[in-house]
């Protein structure tokens, strides 16, 4: 079917290399976007299996299927894979690569070869991370946070895991650099910063965090490796060091890293909502600037992870105050999304359904985040499953559901075919039910004192762990419905038109799937990217 | 590309900057003979800051770049300074 069209799509293009090499050696941002999608989907599946394994272990008190040490390894590798290999690259590497150039009217990113190298770096780092699970010393058992002093002493393969995170960090830095230069230099003539759609805005803010914060964790992990190899004493009080320094350095990166994940997610939602309401986005400038505000203030709140570490009293209230301030720009976005829906002609398709679920879950995750951001309640629920529930609501309910939303939104553009709309809605609903069943009970038992990272628990928490297990199984069913539908759609779905959702941004002006060089004619830049008249 | 060719820094300027950098390196060493107490690190960082400024402006051509780019680079240093400062809210009051 595609062969009959007049242009050559990026999927059919045959360059220097054939077959699979035409993909893994490609510098086309669209092909790289799909490569990222497949790699990240695979990592996500591995991480999710590890997650389900934990739920099965927690099905009964005491040992169910594994011993404590094995459980330590599973939650550590689950965290490392999900954080460094799935959610941090996630949205920006897949949809950023694919759609940033299309949305700003460019032919590719600023450094296509660097882009290809970045994918290879991600793969190299990921192989190291997965290998750490199988080495002779045993999987790392520190948690994904690698806290000193334990991480400097444990006999497990911490060095391989931290090296993996270090390598993966490079991929993140280079993607950020590439996007910043692309946005500054390659916008189509006539497109000013405030004519850009809001997904590029969100990517721009996140890219700065990737560029500036990631080196901090890189150096920190190198310090940890040196500490283990040479006993330098950065984190050892006997040698004049300080273990809390590790926590500072780690969270100076890892809090902003949350915004690396969530800012592009908010960007996707900001694209989906106006399209499916056929209404101009409410508060364009407020949303654009709030992305930058979140990125800026987000750099200064890291201490809210350390209230119980023995940090000074003054630092605690200071970080608490800033944490409350950073909630403001996030709330601005939520209000703007809801205001956009008001009196819109709503089309309840899967991308919009996922966006609604995103808002719902993000509000629960965000408000419980404020409970954690206040010092006194934080001391009560620190290191309990309350925290686990909170960040899964933000990262999975937020970033994950936004990813699914974007996937269903841009799928016809990426593959030139459409999935089954009804099945997609069912997938979304099953995922939503499974998600809440899995994570909401963890808020309750966390509040009652269920510690995180324990493979054992008191019988009084049994009820919630059982509901969570059922939720986990439903969640898996939801994945299979969603992925099965999409795979089927990519292969046999109906041919999609150029603009199935009646979107207004530039990616919908090119054919589906897009031509090799994106724009065969120069794109016409509208001063308002969301003009539905 | 053409806009860059206007800004070839003459060798003479580069030479002067090089000499100034050597001077500051020498100063960094010499200043340690004066006992400055708690200010030792501050003075060393100030001198290093001036040197960094010169390298960025002349050797890395920031002097000829747009205002936006200058602001972006400055922002990075401000961020770094703030992060160090905030970390010390913990250490100073513990
Ligand atoms: Cu945080």
């Amino acid at each position: 079917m595609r062969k009959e069209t007049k242009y050559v799509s990026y999927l059919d293009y045959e360059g220097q290399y054939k077959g699979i090499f035409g993909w893994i050696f490609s510098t086309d941002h669209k092909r790289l976007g799909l490569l990222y999608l497949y790699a990240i989907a695979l990592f996500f599946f591995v991480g999710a299996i590890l997650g389900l394994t934990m739920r099965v272990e927690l099905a009964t008190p005491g040992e169910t299927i594994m011993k404590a040490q094995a459980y330590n390894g599973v939650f550590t590798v689950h965290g490392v894979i999900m954080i460094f290999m799935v959610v941090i690259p996630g949205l920006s590497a897949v949809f950023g690569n694919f759609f940033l150039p299309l949305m700003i009217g460019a032919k590719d990113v600023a450094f296509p070869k660097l882009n290809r190298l970045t994918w290879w770096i991600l793969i190299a780092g990921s192989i190291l991370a997965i290998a750490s699970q199988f080495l002779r010393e045993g999987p790392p058992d520190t948690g994904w946070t690698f806290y000193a002093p334990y991480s400097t002493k444990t006999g497990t393969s911490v060095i391989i895991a931290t090296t993996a995170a270090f390598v993966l960090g490079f991929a993140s830095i280079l993607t950020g650099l590439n996007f910043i230069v692309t946005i500054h230099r390659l916008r189509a003539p006539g497109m000013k910063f405030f004519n850009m759609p809001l997904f590029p805005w969100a990517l721009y803010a996140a890219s700065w965090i990737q560029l500036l914060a990631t080196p901090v964790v890189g150096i920190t992990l190198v310090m940890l490796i040196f500490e283990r190899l040479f006993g330098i004493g950065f984190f050892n009080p006997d040698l004049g060091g300080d273990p809390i320094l590790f926590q500072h350095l780690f969270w100076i990166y890892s809090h902003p890293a949350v915004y690396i994940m969530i800012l592009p997610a908010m960007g996707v939602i900001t694209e989906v909502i106006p399209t499916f309401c056929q209404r101009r986005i409410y508060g364009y400038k407020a949303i654009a600037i709030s992305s930058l505000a979140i990125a800026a203030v987000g750099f200064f709140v890291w201490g809210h992870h350390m209230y119980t570490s023995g940090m000074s009293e003054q630092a605690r209230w200071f970080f608490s105050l800033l944490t409350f301030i950073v909630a403001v720009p996030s709330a601005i976005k939520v209000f703007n999304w809801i205001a956009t829906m008001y009196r819109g002609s709503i089309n309840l398709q899967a991308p919009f359904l996922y966006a609604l679920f995103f808002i719902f879950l993000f509000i629960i995750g965000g408000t419980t985040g404020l409970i954690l951001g206040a010092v006194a309640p934080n001391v009560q629920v620190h290191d309990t499953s309350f925290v686990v529930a909170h960040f899964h609501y933000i990262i999975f309910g937020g970033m994950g559901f936004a990813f699914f939303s974007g996937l269903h939104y841009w799928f016809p553009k990426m593959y030139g075919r459409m999935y089954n709309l009804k099945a997609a809605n069912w997938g979304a609903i099953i995922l939503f039910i499974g998600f809440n069943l899995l994570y909401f009970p963890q808020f309750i038992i966390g509040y009652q004192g269920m510690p995180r990272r324990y493979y054992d628990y008191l019988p009084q928490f049994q009820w919630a762990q059982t509901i969570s297990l059922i939720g986990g199984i439903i969640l898996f069913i939801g994945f299979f419905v969603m992925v099965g539908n999409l795979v089927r759609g990519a292969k046999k779905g109906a041919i999609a038109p150029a603009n199935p959702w009646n979107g207004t941004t530039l990616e919908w002006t090119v054919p589906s799937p897009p031509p090799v060089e994106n724009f065969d004619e120069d794109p016409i830049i509208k001063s308002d990217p969301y003009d539905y008249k | 590309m053409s806009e860059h060719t206007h800004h070839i820094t003459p060798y003479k300027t580069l030479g002067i900057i090089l000499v100034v950098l050597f001077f500051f390196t020498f100063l960094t060493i010499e200043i340690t003979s004066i006992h400055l107490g708690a200010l030792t690190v501050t003075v060393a960082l100030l001198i290093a800051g001036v040197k960094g400024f010169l390298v960025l402006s002349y050797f890395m051509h920031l002097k000829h770049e747009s205002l936006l780019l200058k602001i972006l680079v400055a922002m990075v240093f401000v961020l770094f300074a703030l992060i160090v400062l905030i970390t010390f809210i913990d250490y100073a009051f513990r």
Side-chain angles (χ1 to χ4, degrees), chain A residues 184-185 204 208 212 242 244-245 248 252 299-300 302 306 310-312 314-315 318-319 322, chain B residues 4 65-66 68-69 72-73 75-76 78-79 82-84 86-87 89-94:
Chain A
H184 273 282
R185 299 286 199 216
Y204 183 70
W208 273 107
L212 297 182
D242 184 350
I244 297 179
L245 176 65
H248 274 298
I252 286 172
F299 266 107
F300 308 117
W302 74 85
M306 301 165 56
M311 188 171 64
S312 79
Q314 277 71 12
F318 180 80
F319 282 122
L322 284 176
Chain B
H4 287 266
E65 283 294 346
S66 65
L68 177 67
L69 209 68
L72 291 179
V73 173
M75 196 189 75
V76 174
V78 171
L79 175 74
L82 278 174
I83 284 177
V84 173
I86 292 173
T87 309
I89 296 180
D90 174 18
Y91 290 97
F93 293 98
R94 218 187 267 169

Side-chain angles (χ1 to χ4, degrees), chain B residues 5 10 25 38-39 45 48-49 56 78 88:
Chain B
T5 50
T25 309
L39 284 176
L45 281 178
L56 280 170
V78 171
F88 274 85

Side-chain angles (χ1 to χ4, degrees), chain A residues 84-97:
Chain A
F84 294 111
M85 288 153 60
V86 178
V87 289
I88 287 183
L91 277 159
S92 55
V94 178
F95 301 123
N97 262 312

Side-chain angles (χ1 to χ4, degrees), chain A residues 239-312:
Chain A
L239 297 170
D242 184 350
I244 297 179
L245 176 65
F246 182 88
Q247 297 191 22
H248 274 298
L249 291 170
F250 185 83
W251 290 111
I252 286 172
Y253 166 72
S254 296
H255 184 81
V258 176
Y259 297 115
I260 298 177
M261 311 158 193
I262 206 70
L263 277 170
M266 293 164 151
V268 170
I269 300 305
T270 315
E271 297 299 330
V272 168
I273 287 178
T275 303
F276 288 86
C277 298
Q278 289 296 297
R279 208 161 167 278
R280 190 179 185 283
I281 189 80
Y282 184 87
Y284 172 93
K285 275 201 176 161
I287 294 179
I289 299 209
S290 67
S291 289
L292 296 182
I294 289 174
V297 183
F299 266 107
F300 308 117
V301 300
W302 74 85
H304 61 216
H305 298 267
M306 301 165 56
Y307 291 149
T308 60
S309 68
M311 188 171 64
S312 79

Side-chain angles (χ1 to χ4, degrees), chain A residues 152-225:
Chain A
T152 64
K153 291 182 179 141
T154 170
T156 53
S157 47
V158 168
I159 291 183
I160 295 291
T162 45
T163 307
F166 182 84
V167 173
L168 291 164
F170 268 98
S172 192
I173 293 171
L174 294 175
T175 301
L177 180 73
N178 220 335
F179 286 0
I180 291 173
V181 179
T182 305
I183 290 170
H184 273 282
R185 299 286 199 216
L186 296 187
R187 274 170 292 128
M191 182 177 273
K192 304 226 165 50
F193 258 86
F194 283 101
N195 304 137
M196 281 199 308
L198 288 157
F199 182 57
W201 263 105
L203 286 172
Y204 183 70
S207 295
W208 273 107
I209 308 177
Q210 283 166 251
L211 189 63
L212 297 182
T214 317
V216 181
V217 80
I219 296 296
T220 311
L221 296 175
V222 171
M223 285 165 84
L224 176 60
I225 292 171

Side-chain angles (χ1 to χ4, degrees), chain A residues 457-468:
Chain A
Y457 53 87
L458 298 173
Q460 70 199 69
F461 300 131
Q462 172 79 66
W463 66 273
Q465 305 289 16
T466 308
I467 297 176
S468 287

